[in-house]
Amino acid sequence: MIENTYKAQPAATTTPRVKHTITAIPGDGIGPEITSATQKIIQAAGLEIEWETVEAGKKVFEAGLASGVSKECLQSIRKNKVALKGPLETPIGYGGKSANVTLRKMFETFGNIRPVREIPGIHTPFSGRGIDLVVVRENVEDLYAGIEHMQTPDVAQCLKLISTKGCYKISELAFEIASAEKRSSVHVATKANIMKKTEGMMKQTFETVSKSYPKIQAKHLLIDNCAHQLVINPEQFEVIMTTNMNGDIISDLTSGLVGGLGIAPSANIGHEYAIFEAVHGSAPDIAGKDIANPTAMIQSAVMMLRHLGEFQVATQIEQALFVTLQSGQGYPVDIAAGRPVVGTRQFTDMVVANLGTQSALSKPRTYDKVKVPQRESVTVINKPKTRKVVGTDIFIEFDGTPEVLGDLIEDAAEGTDFKLKMISNRGTMVYPANGVDTDCVDHWRCRMTLNPELTGKDIDDNSLWQLLNRISQNGLCWMHIEKLNQFDGENAYTKAQGEA
Ligand code: NAP
Protein backbone atom coordinates (compact mmCIF):
# COMPACT_ATOMS: atom_id res chain seq x y z
CA MET A 1 0.00 0.00 0.00
CA ILE A 2 1.41 3.35 -0.99
CA GLU A 3 0.38 5.08 2.23
CA ASN A 4 2.09 2.69 4.65
CA THR A 5 5.48 2.50 3.01
CA TYR A 6 5.92 6.17 2.23
CA LYS A 7 8.41 8.22 4.28
CA ALA A 8 8.19 11.98 4.06
CA GLN A 9 11.38 13.79 3.10
CA PRO A 10 12.41 17.19 4.42
CA ALA A 11 11.90 20.09 2.04
CA ALA A 12 14.95 21.93 0.75
CA THR A 13 13.32 25.32 0.32
CA THR A 14 12.78 28.29 2.60
CA THR A 15 9.60 30.35 2.82
CA PRO A 16 9.49 33.96 1.61
CA ARG A 17 7.82 36.48 3.92
CA VAL A 18 5.59 38.85 2.00
CA LYS A 19 2.48 40.49 3.30
CA HIS A 20 -0.76 40.34 1.29
CA THR A 21 -4.21 41.62 2.15
CA ILE A 22 -6.84 39.20 0.93
CA THR A 23 -10.61 39.17 1.17
CA ALA A 24 -11.92 36.11 3.00
CA ILE A 25 -15.55 35.06 2.52
CA PRO A 26 -16.13 32.09 4.85
CA GLY A 27 -19.54 31.48 3.28
CA ASP A 28 -22.25 29.06 4.30
CA GLY A 29 -22.56 25.49 5.58
CA ILE A 30 -19.11 23.89 5.75
CA GLY A 31 -17.55 27.11 4.39
CA PRO A 32 -16.33 28.56 7.71
CA GLU A 33 -14.73 25.22 8.75
CA ILE A 34 -12.78 24.68 5.54
CA THR A 35 -11.83 28.36 5.26
CA SER A 36 -10.37 28.53 8.76
CA ALA A 37 -8.55 25.22 8.17
CA THR A 38 -6.96 26.70 5.05
CA GLN A 39 -6.02 29.96 6.76
CA LYS A 40 -4.39 27.99 9.57
CA ILE A 41 -2.20 26.08 7.11
CA ILE A 42 -1.15 29.24 5.24
CA GLN A 43 -0.25 30.89 8.52
CA ALA A 44 1.72 27.85 9.64
CA ALA A 45 3.60 27.93 6.32
CA GLY A 46 4.88 31.31 7.44
CA LEU A 47 3.20 33.54 4.88
CA GLU A 48 1.99 36.76 6.37
CA ILE A 49 -1.52 37.46 5.14
CA GLU A 50 -3.97 39.99 6.46
CA TRP A 51 -7.44 38.53 5.95
CA GLU A 52 -10.34 40.92 5.53
CA THR A 53 -13.35 38.81 6.48
CA VAL A 54 -16.64 39.79 4.85
CA GLU A 55 -20.06 38.27 4.32
CA ALA A 56 -21.93 36.94 1.32
CA GLY A 57 -24.53 34.23 0.90
CA LYS A 58 -27.33 32.99 3.12
CA LYS A 59 -27.13 35.58 5.92
CA VAL A 60 -27.01 38.43 3.43
CA PHE A 61 -30.01 37.05 1.55
CA GLU A 62 -31.86 36.66 4.86
CA ALA A 63 -31.05 40.25 5.75
CA GLY A 64 -33.03 41.21 2.65
CA LEU A 65 -30.25 41.98 0.15
CA ALA A 66 -31.35 40.29 -3.09
CA SER A 67 -27.80 40.01 -4.47
CA GLY A 68 -26.59 37.97 -1.48
CA VAL A 69 -23.35 39.97 -1.55
CA SER A 70 -22.74 42.60 1.14
CA LYS A 71 -21.50 46.11 0.31
CA GLU A 72 -18.42 45.44 2.46
CA CYS A 73 -17.70 42.31 0.43
CA LEU A 74 -17.77 44.22 -2.86
CA GLN A 75 -15.63 47.04 -1.45
CA SER A 76 -13.11 44.61 -0.03
CA ILE A 77 -12.67 42.65 -3.29
CA ARG A 78 -12.46 45.89 -5.24
CA LYS A 79 -9.63 47.02 -2.98
CA ASN A 80 -7.72 43.76 -2.53
CA LYS A 81 -8.29 42.26 -6.01
CA VAL A 82 -8.00 38.73 -4.60
CA ALA A 83 -10.52 36.73 -2.56
CA LEU A 84 -10.66 33.29 -1.00
CA LYS A 85 -14.30 32.30 -0.93
CA GLY A 86 -16.19 29.56 0.90
CA PRO A 87 -19.27 28.09 -0.77
CA LEU A 88 -22.39 30.26 -0.83
CA GLU A 89 -25.85 28.82 -0.58
CA THR A 90 -28.37 29.85 -3.22
CA PRO A 91 -31.66 29.95 -1.34
CA ILE A 92 -34.49 28.14 -3.05
CA GLY A 93 -37.80 29.99 -3.00
CA TYR A 94 -36.49 33.35 -1.78
CA GLY A 95 -33.59 35.74 -2.39
CA GLY A 96 -32.29 36.66 -5.81
CA LYS A 97 -29.83 35.05 -8.19
CA SER A 98 -26.85 32.96 -7.09
CA ALA A 99 -24.38 35.12 -5.12
CA ASN A 100 -21.58 33.01 -6.63
CA VAL A 101 -22.60 33.91 -10.17
CA THR A 102 -23.14 37.55 -9.12
CA LEU A 103 -19.56 37.76 -7.82
CA ARG A 104 -18.14 36.16 -10.96
CA LYS A 105 -20.03 38.61 -13.15
CA MET A 106 -19.50 41.75 -11.07
CA PHE A 107 -15.75 41.28 -11.14
CA GLU A 108 -15.68 40.04 -14.75
CA THR A 109 -13.85 36.88 -13.75
CA PHE A 110 -14.26 35.48 -17.24
CA GLY A 111 -12.22 32.32 -16.77
CA ASN A 112 -13.00 29.48 -14.40
CA ILE A 113 -9.95 27.29 -13.97
CA ARG A 114 -10.33 23.80 -12.56
CA PRO A 115 -7.17 21.71 -12.31
CA VAL A 116 -7.73 17.99 -12.05
CA ARG A 117 -4.79 15.94 -10.87
CA GLU A 118 -4.60 12.43 -9.54
CA ILE A 119 -3.37 12.41 -5.96
CA PRO A 120 -1.79 9.11 -4.93
CA GLY A 121 -3.54 8.04 -1.73
CA ILE A 122 -6.98 8.99 -2.99
CA HIS A 123 -8.47 5.84 -4.40
CA THR A 124 -10.69 6.07 -7.47
CA PRO A 125 -11.45 3.72 -10.37
CA PHE A 126 -8.92 5.84 -12.33
CA SER A 127 -6.08 5.59 -9.81
CA GLY A 128 -2.67 4.98 -11.33
CA ARG A 129 -3.44 6.54 -14.69
CA GLY A 130 -1.74 9.84 -13.96
CA ILE A 131 -4.61 12.15 -14.81
CA ASP A 132 -3.31 15.72 -14.83
CA LEU A 133 -5.41 18.23 -16.74
CA VAL A 134 -6.99 21.65 -16.43
CA VAL A 135 -10.53 22.60 -17.42
CA VAL A 136 -10.76 26.23 -18.54
CA ARG A 137 -14.41 27.24 -18.54
CA GLU A 138 -15.77 30.50 -19.90
CA ASN A 139 -17.37 31.95 -16.80
CA VAL A 140 -19.67 34.88 -17.59
CA GLU A 141 -21.46 34.31 -20.91
CA ASP A 142 -23.58 31.57 -22.47
CA LEU A 143 -26.82 30.44 -20.82
CA TYR A 144 -25.38 31.75 -17.55
CA ALA A 145 -26.19 35.28 -18.66
CA GLY A 146 -29.50 34.15 -17.15
CA ILE A 147 -31.62 36.06 -19.68
CA GLU A 148 -34.87 34.16 -19.51
CA HIS A 149 -38.39 34.93 -20.65
CA MET A 150 -41.63 33.03 -20.66
CA GLN A 151 -42.51 33.34 -24.34
CA THR A 152 -45.99 31.99 -23.79
CA PRO A 153 -47.49 30.62 -20.56
CA ASP A 154 -46.20 27.22 -21.75
CA VAL A 155 -42.88 27.98 -23.42
CA ALA A 156 -39.76 29.29 -21.68
CA GLN A 157 -36.67 30.70 -23.36
CA CYS A 158 -33.09 31.19 -22.11
CA LEU A 159 -30.81 33.22 -24.36
CA LYS A 160 -27.42 31.71 -25.13
CA LEU A 161 -25.22 34.73 -25.73
CA ILE A 162 -21.65 34.19 -26.89
CA SER A 163 -19.41 37.09 -27.95
CA THR A 164 -16.28 37.18 -30.09
CA LYS A 165 -14.62 39.19 -27.33
CA GLY A 166 -15.52 36.58 -24.71
CA CYS A 167 -14.25 33.78 -26.97
CA TYR A 168 -10.96 35.59 -27.59
CA LYS A 169 -10.32 36.17 -23.91
CA ILE A 170 -11.04 32.62 -22.79
CA SER A 171 -9.09 31.12 -25.71
CA GLU A 172 -6.08 33.30 -24.92
CA LEU A 173 -6.34 32.43 -21.24
CA ALA A 174 -6.41 28.71 -22.05
CA PHE A 175 -3.24 28.99 -24.16
CA GLU A 176 -1.56 31.19 -21.54
CA ILE A 177 -2.31 28.60 -18.85
CA ALA A 178 -0.92 25.89 -21.13
CA SER A 179 2.24 27.98 -21.62
CA ALA A 180 2.61 28.77 -17.90
CA GLU A 181 2.27 25.09 -17.02
CA LYS A 182 4.48 23.86 -19.89
CA ARG A 183 1.62 21.89 -21.44
CA SER A 184 1.82 20.73 -25.03
CA SER A 185 -1.85 20.70 -26.11
CA VAL A 186 -5.15 22.51 -25.66
CA HIS A 187 -8.50 21.00 -26.65
CA VAL A 188 -11.58 23.10 -27.25
CA ALA A 189 -14.81 21.20 -26.61
CA THR A 190 -17.93 22.63 -28.26
CA LYS A 191 -21.30 21.71 -29.69
CA ALA A 192 -20.51 23.60 -32.91
CA ASN A 193 -22.17 20.94 -35.05
CA ILE A 194 -25.60 21.89 -33.66
CA MET A 195 -25.14 25.49 -32.47
CA LYS A 196 -23.18 26.74 -35.45
CA LYS A 197 -23.29 30.41 -34.53
CA THR A 198 -22.72 30.35 -30.75
CA GLU A 199 -20.59 27.25 -30.11
CA GLY A 200 -19.24 27.66 -33.64
CA MET A 201 -17.92 31.11 -32.71
CA MET A 202 -15.96 29.57 -29.84
CA LYS A 203 -14.44 26.98 -32.15
CA GLN A 204 -13.49 29.51 -34.84
CA THR A 205 -12.04 32.01 -32.37
CA PHE A 206 -10.05 29.28 -30.64
CA GLU A 207 -8.59 28.25 -34.01
CA THR A 208 -7.63 31.85 -34.78
CA VAL A 209 -6.03 32.38 -31.35
CA SER A 210 -4.17 29.05 -31.59
CA LYS A 211 -2.09 30.47 -34.47
CA SER A 212 -0.33 32.73 -31.96
CA TYR A 213 0.78 29.66 -29.97
CA PRO A 214 2.45 27.48 -32.62
CA LYS A 215 4.28 25.33 -30.06
CA ILE A 216 1.02 24.18 -28.47
CA GLN A 217 -1.16 21.67 -30.31
CA ALA A 218 -4.72 22.96 -30.74
CA LYS A 219 -7.49 20.40 -31.18
CA HIS A 220 -11.26 20.53 -31.42
CA LEU A 221 -13.69 17.88 -30.28
CA LEU A 222 -17.41 17.83 -29.64
CA ILE A 223 -18.41 18.18 -26.01
CA ASP A 224 -20.33 14.90 -25.95
CA ASN A 225 -17.33 13.07 -27.35
CA CYS A 226 -15.19 14.93 -24.80
CA ALA A 227 -17.33 13.50 -21.97
CA HIS A 228 -16.93 10.03 -23.49
CA GLN A 229 -13.18 10.44 -24.01
CA LEU A 230 -12.74 11.69 -20.44
CA VAL A 231 -14.03 8.38 -19.15
CA ILE A 232 -12.32 6.18 -21.76
CA ASN A 233 -8.95 7.90 -22.04
CA PRO A 234 -8.60 10.90 -19.70
CA GLU A 235 -4.79 10.86 -19.83
CA GLN A 236 -4.86 12.30 -23.38
CA PHE A 237 -6.03 15.71 -22.11
CA GLU A 238 -3.85 18.51 -20.77
CA VAL A 239 -6.05 21.60 -21.08
CA ILE A 240 -9.75 21.51 -22.05
CA MET A 241 -11.32 24.86 -22.86
CA THR A 242 -15.08 25.18 -23.25
CA THR A 243 -18.18 27.34 -22.98
CA ASN A 244 -19.85 28.04 -19.64
CA MET A 245 -22.59 25.40 -19.54
CA ASN A 246 -20.44 22.66 -21.07
CA GLY A 247 -17.68 23.56 -18.63
CA ASP A 248 -19.99 23.40 -15.65
CA ILE A 249 -20.89 19.81 -16.46
CA ILE A 250 -17.55 18.56 -17.74
CA SER A 251 -15.62 19.96 -14.77
CA ASP A 252 -17.79 18.08 -12.29
CA LEU A 253 -17.12 14.96 -14.34
CA THR A 254 -13.37 15.58 -14.22
CA SER A 255 -13.55 16.19 -10.44
CA GLY A 256 -15.11 12.76 -10.14
CA LEU A 257 -12.21 11.16 -12.01
CA VAL A 258 -9.73 12.05 -9.28
CA GLY A 259 -11.78 11.70 -6.11
CA GLY A 260 -14.85 13.89 -6.13
CA LEU A 261 -16.04 17.27 -4.99
CA GLY A 262 -14.18 17.14 -1.66
CA ILE A 263 -10.86 17.63 -3.42
CA ALA A 264 -11.68 19.79 -6.46
CA PRO A 265 -10.31 23.37 -6.45
CA SER A 266 -11.08 26.29 -8.73
CA ALA A 267 -10.09 29.85 -9.59
CA ASN A 268 -12.25 32.56 -11.13
CA ILE A 269 -9.82 34.72 -13.07
CA GLY A 270 -10.40 38.16 -14.57
CA HIS A 271 -8.28 41.02 -15.89
CA GLU A 272 -8.08 42.63 -12.50
CA TYR A 273 -9.74 40.36 -9.94
CA ALA A 274 -9.43 36.74 -8.94
CA ILE A 275 -11.67 34.71 -6.64
CA PHE A 276 -10.57 31.28 -5.46
CA GLU A 277 -13.03 28.67 -4.21
CA ALA A 278 -13.68 24.96 -3.89
CA VAL A 279 -15.84 23.51 -6.65
CA HIS A 280 -18.27 22.02 -4.14
CA GLY A 281 -21.17 23.75 -2.43
CA SER A 282 -22.01 24.43 1.20
CA ALA A 283 -22.94 20.78 1.96
CA PRO A 284 -25.40 21.84 4.69
CA ASP A 285 -25.99 18.21 5.67
CA ILE A 286 -22.47 17.90 7.09
CA ALA A 287 -21.95 21.49 8.28
CA GLY A 288 -20.64 22.05 11.81
CA LYS A 289 -19.82 18.36 12.35
CA ASP A 290 -16.05 18.61 11.86
CA ILE A 291 -16.23 16.08 9.01
CA ALA A 292 -15.92 18.29 5.91
CA ASN A 293 -12.92 17.65 3.70
CA PRO A 294 -10.87 20.86 3.45
CA THR A 295 -8.70 19.53 0.58
CA ALA A 296 -10.56 21.38 -2.20
CA MET A 297 -10.29 24.66 -0.33
CA ILE A 298 -6.62 24.10 0.50
CA GLN A 299 -5.91 23.37 -3.18
CA SER A 300 -7.87 26.51 -4.16
CA ALA A 301 -5.63 28.48 -1.78
CA VAL A 302 -2.59 26.91 -3.44
CA MET A 303 -3.86 28.28 -6.77
CA MET A 304 -4.35 31.66 -5.09
CA LEU A 305 -0.79 31.68 -3.79
CA ARG A 306 0.56 30.95 -7.28
CA HIS A 307 -1.60 33.78 -8.62
CA LEU A 308 0.07 36.05 -6.02
CA GLY A 309 3.49 34.85 -7.19
CA GLU A 310 4.07 32.88 -3.96
CA PHE A 311 5.21 29.78 -5.82
CA GLN A 312 7.41 28.40 -3.05
CA VAL A 313 4.77 28.54 -0.30
CA ALA A 314 2.18 27.19 -2.74
CA THR A 315 4.32 24.16 -3.52
CA GLN A 316 5.18 23.71 0.16
CA ILE A 317 1.50 23.55 1.14
CA GLU A 318 0.60 21.35 -1.84
CA GLN A 319 3.36 18.93 -0.99
CA ALA A 320 2.34 18.83 2.70
CA LEU A 321 -1.20 18.04 1.60
CA PHE A 322 -0.04 15.28 -0.76
CA VAL A 323 2.22 13.80 1.93
CA THR A 324 -0.72 13.78 4.35
CA LEU A 325 -2.99 12.11 1.83
CA GLN A 326 -0.31 9.52 1.07
CA SER A 327 0.61 8.84 4.71
CA GLY A 328 -2.25 6.48 5.53
CA GLN A 329 -2.59 8.15 8.95
CA GLY A 330 -6.15 9.36 8.48
CA TYR A 331 -8.59 10.72 5.91
CA PRO A 332 -11.65 12.93 5.79
CA VAL A 333 -14.64 10.62 5.68
CA ASP A 334 -15.59 11.29 2.03
CA ILE A 335 -12.28 9.86 0.75
CA ALA A 336 -11.43 7.41 3.56
CA ALA A 337 -12.66 4.35 1.65
CA GLY A 338 -12.37 2.07 4.70
CA ARG A 339 -9.16 3.65 6.03
CA PRO A 340 -8.82 5.55 9.34
CA VAL A 341 -11.10 8.59 9.46
CA VAL A 342 -10.07 11.95 10.93
CA GLY A 343 -12.08 15.14 11.35
CA THR A 344 -11.52 18.45 9.57
CA ARG A 345 -9.45 19.89 12.42
CA GLN A 346 -7.25 16.83 12.88
CA PHE A 347 -6.64 16.55 9.15
CA THR A 348 -5.65 20.22 9.09
CA ASP A 349 -3.19 19.65 11.94
CA MET A 350 -1.68 16.73 10.02
CA VAL A 351 -1.11 18.95 6.97
CA VAL A 352 0.48 21.59 9.22
CA ALA A 353 2.75 18.94 10.73
CA ASN A 354 3.83 17.86 7.24
CA LEU A 355 4.80 21.36 6.09
CA GLY A 356 8.37 21.22 4.90
CA THR A 357 8.16 17.64 3.63
CA GLN A 358 8.03 16.51 0.02
CA SER A 359 6.01 13.79 -1.58
CA ALA A 360 7.95 11.08 -3.34
CA LEU A 361 4.87 10.21 -5.38
CA SER A 362 3.51 13.60 -6.52
CA LYS A 363 6.26 15.70 -8.02
CA PRO A 364 5.66 19.45 -8.07
CA ARG A 365 4.74 20.85 -11.47
CA THR A 366 6.64 23.83 -12.85
CA TYR A 367 4.48 26.93 -12.95
CA ASP A 368 5.08 30.40 -14.35
CA LYS A 369 2.80 33.29 -13.63
CA VAL A 370 -0.19 33.20 -16.00
CA LYS A 371 -0.48 36.19 -18.33
CA VAL A 372 -4.15 37.12 -18.16
CA PRO A 373 -5.43 38.72 -21.41
CA GLN A 374 -5.96 42.43 -20.96
CA ARG A 375 -9.36 44.02 -21.02
CA GLU A 376 -10.27 45.47 -24.43
CA SER A 377 -12.02 48.81 -24.14
CA VAL A 378 -13.79 48.31 -27.50
CA THR A 379 -17.29 46.86 -27.54
CA VAL A 380 -17.07 45.70 -31.17
CA ILE A 381 -14.41 43.35 -32.53
CA ASN A 382 -15.81 42.48 -35.97
CA LYS A 383 -16.86 45.30 -38.25
CA PRO A 384 -18.34 43.82 -41.46
CA LYS A 385 -17.85 45.86 -44.63
CA THR A 386 -21.44 45.22 -45.68
CA ARG A 387 -24.55 44.37 -43.73
CA LYS A 388 -28.09 43.88 -44.92
CA VAL A 389 -31.43 42.87 -43.41
CA VAL A 390 -32.87 40.10 -45.61
CA GLY A 391 -35.92 39.17 -43.57
CA THR A 392 -37.29 38.66 -40.11
CA ASP A 393 -38.37 35.85 -37.81
CA ILE A 394 -41.56 36.77 -36.01
CA PHE A 395 -42.39 34.62 -33.00
CA ILE A 396 -46.11 34.21 -32.47
CA GLU A 397 -48.25 32.72 -29.72
CA PHE A 398 -50.99 30.76 -31.44
CA ASP A 399 -53.30 27.93 -30.44
CA GLY A 400 -54.15 26.20 -33.73
CA THR A 401 -52.78 24.32 -36.71
CA PRO A 402 -49.83 25.36 -38.91
CA GLU A 403 -52.18 25.65 -41.90
CA VAL A 404 -54.51 28.12 -40.17
CA LEU A 405 -51.58 30.18 -38.93
CA GLY A 406 -49.98 30.06 -42.39
CA ASP A 407 -53.17 31.46 -43.97
CA LEU A 408 -53.37 34.25 -41.38
CA ILE A 409 -49.73 35.25 -41.83
CA GLU A 410 -49.92 35.14 -45.65
CA ASP A 411 -52.97 37.32 -45.46
CA ALA A 412 -51.22 39.76 -43.08
CA ALA A 413 -48.21 39.96 -45.41
CA GLU A 414 -50.36 41.04 -48.39
CA GLY A 415 -49.32 44.50 -49.52
CA THR A 416 -46.20 44.56 -47.29
CA ASP A 417 -42.57 44.05 -48.36
CA PHE A 418 -42.61 40.48 -47.03
CA LYS A 419 -43.59 37.00 -47.99
CA LEU A 420 -43.93 34.03 -45.63
CA LYS A 421 -41.04 31.62 -46.27
CA MET A 422 -41.86 29.00 -43.66
CA ILE A 423 -43.18 28.42 -40.15
CA SER A 424 -41.32 26.29 -37.62
CA ASN A 425 -42.40 24.89 -34.29
CA ARG A 426 -39.80 23.84 -31.71
CA GLY A 427 -37.13 24.35 -34.38
CA THR A 428 -38.69 22.16 -37.11
CA MET A 429 -40.39 23.46 -40.25
CA VAL A 430 -44.11 22.64 -40.14
CA TYR A 431 -45.44 24.95 -42.89
CA PRO A 432 -45.55 24.49 -45.83
CA ALA A 433 -46.39 20.94 -44.75
CA ASN A 434 -43.56 18.49 -45.34
CA GLY A 435 -44.86 15.32 -43.74
CA VAL A 436 -42.97 15.88 -40.48
CA ASP A 437 -44.74 14.70 -37.33
CA THR A 438 -43.88 17.55 -34.97
CA ASP A 439 -45.73 17.66 -31.64
CA CYS A 440 -46.54 21.38 -31.84
CA VAL A 441 -46.84 23.84 -28.98
CA ASP A 442 -48.25 27.40 -28.98
CA HIS A 443 -44.90 29.04 -29.92
CA TRP A 444 -44.35 29.53 -33.65
CA ARG A 445 -41.56 31.10 -35.66
CA CYS A 446 -42.74 32.70 -38.89
CA ARG A 447 -39.83 33.37 -41.23
CA MET A 448 -40.57 36.34 -43.46
CA THR A 449 -38.28 37.26 -46.34
CA LEU A 450 -38.39 40.03 -48.93
CA ASN A 451 -41.23 39.60 -51.41
CA PRO A 452 -39.44 38.37 -54.60
CA GLU A 453 -41.39 40.97 -56.61
CA LEU A 454 -39.45 43.68 -54.71
CA THR A 455 -35.95 42.24 -55.30
CA GLY A 456 -33.31 44.86 -54.59
CA LYS A 457 -35.46 46.82 -52.15
CA ASP A 458 -33.98 47.40 -48.68
CA ILE A 459 -35.89 46.11 -45.70
CA ASP A 460 -36.09 48.92 -43.18
CA ASP A 461 -37.69 49.30 -39.76
CA ASN A 462 -40.78 50.98 -41.25
CA SER A 463 -41.50 47.93 -43.38
CA LEU A 464 -41.09 45.74 -40.29
CA TRP A 465 -43.50 47.91 -38.30
CA GLN A 466 -46.02 47.73 -41.12
CA LEU A 467 -45.83 43.93 -41.09
CA LEU A 468 -46.11 43.72 -37.31
CA ASN A 469 -49.16 46.02 -37.37
CA ARG A 470 -50.81 43.84 -40.00
CA ILE A 471 -50.11 40.72 -37.92
CA SER A 472 -51.62 42.36 -34.82
CA GLN A 473 -54.64 43.50 -36.87
CA ASN A 474 -55.19 39.89 -37.91
CA GLY A 475 -55.69 39.08 -34.21
CA LEU A 476 -52.31 37.36 -33.79
CA CYS A 477 -50.09 37.84 -30.73
CA TRP A 478 -46.37 38.25 -31.50
CA MET A 479 -43.95 38.06 -28.57
CA HIS A 480 -40.62 38.90 -30.22
CA ILE A 481 -38.89 39.32 -33.54
CA GLU A 482 -35.38 38.71 -34.85
CA LYS A 483 -33.93 40.49 -37.84
CA LEU A 484 -32.35 38.15 -40.39
CA ASN A 485 -29.02 39.80 -41.16
CA GLN A 486 -26.34 39.15 -43.73
CA PHE A 487 -22.85 40.30 -42.70
CA ASP A 488 -20.39 40.53 -45.60
CA GLY A 489 -22.87 38.53 -47.68
CA GLU A 490 -23.06 35.62 -45.22
CA ASN A 491 -26.26 34.62 -43.50
CA ALA A 492 -26.04 35.57 -39.82
CA TYR A 493 -28.78 33.11 -38.90
CA THR A 494 -29.38 29.40 -39.16
CA LYS A 495 -32.07 27.43 -40.95
CA ALA A 496 -34.88 25.54 -39.28
CA GLN A 497 -34.76 21.76 -39.36
CA GLY A 498 -36.24 20.83 -42.75
CA GLU A 499 -35.96 24.35 -44.22
CA ALA A 500 -34.61 24.52 -47.77
P1 NAP B 1 -22.68 20.37 -2.32
O1 NAP B 1 -22.79 21.41 -1.28
O2 NAP B 1 -21.44 20.36 -3.11
O3 NAP B 1 -22.82 18.98 -1.55
C1 NAP B 1 -23.16 17.76 -2.17
C2 NAP B 1 -22.59 16.62 -1.35
O4 NAP B 1 -21.21 16.48 -1.67
C3 NAP B 1 -22.61 16.86 0.14
O5 NAP B 1 -23.86 16.57 0.66
C4 NAP B 1 -21.51 15.95 0.58
O6 NAP B 1 -21.94 14.61 0.46
C5 NAP B 1 -20.47 16.11 -0.50
N1 NAP B 1 -19.48 17.14 -0.25
C6 NAP B 1 -19.36 18.34 -0.86
N2 NAP B 1 -18.29 19.00 -0.41
C7 NAP B 1 -17.74 18.20 0.53
C8 NAP B 1 -16.59 18.34 1.36
N3 NAP B 1 -15.79 19.42 1.34
N4 NAP B 1 -16.31 17.33 2.22
C9 NAP B 1 -17.07 16.22 2.27
N5 NAP B 1 -18.15 16.03 1.47
C10 NAP B 1 -18.48 17.01 0.64
O7 NAP B 1 -23.91 20.42 -3.33
P2 NAP B 1 -25.46 20.74 -3.07
O8 NAP B 1 -25.94 19.97 -1.87
O9 NAP B 1 -26.10 20.52 -4.37
O10 NAP B 1 -25.52 22.28 -2.76
C11 NAP B 1 -25.65 22.83 -1.45
C12 NAP B 1 -25.66 24.34 -1.56
O11 NAP B 1 -24.40 24.80 -2.05
C13 NAP B 1 -26.74 24.88 -2.49
O12 NAP B 1 -27.32 26.01 -1.91
C14 NAP B 1 -25.96 25.28 -3.72
O13 NAP B 1 -26.58 26.34 -4.40
C15 NAP B 1 -24.64 25.71 -3.12
N6 NAP B 1 -23.48 25.62 -4.05
C16 NAP B 1 -22.56 26.59 -3.97
C17 NAP B 1 -21.44 26.52 -4.76
C18 NAP B 1 -20.40 27.61 -4.65
O14 NAP B 1 -20.42 28.34 -3.68
N7 NAP B 1 -19.50 27.75 -5.61
C19 NAP B 1 -21.24 25.44 -5.63
C20 NAP B 1 -22.21 24.44 -5.67
C21 NAP B 1 -23.33 24.53 -4.87
P3 NAP B 1 -22.44 13.67 1.65
O15 NAP B 1 -23.86 14.06 1.87
O16 NAP B 1 -22.29 12.31 1.05
O17 NAP B 1 -21.58 13.91 2.83
Side-chain angles (χ1 to χ4, degrees), residues 30 85 87-90 100 277 280-283 285-286 293 334:
I30 59 172
K85 183 181 90 57
L88 306 179
E89 206 174 298
T90 306
N100 299 300
E277 61 178 329
H280 61 70
S282 60
D285 52 334
I286 57 168
N293 187 350
D334 61 315

Side-chain angles (χ1 to χ4, degrees), residues 168 171 175 201-213:
Y168 266 108
S171 299
F175 281 101
M201 179 184 282
M202 183 61 96
K203 177 176 180 290
Q204 279 164 18
T205 312
F206 170 86
E207 283 161 359
T208 305
V209 169
S210 72
K211 295 190 179 115
S212 304
Y213 299 86

Side-chain angles (χ1 to χ4, degrees), residues 1-12:
M1 295 271 289
I2 291 166
E3 51 270 28
N4 291 332
T5 54
Y6 175 68
K7 280 224 169 36
Q9 300 153 25

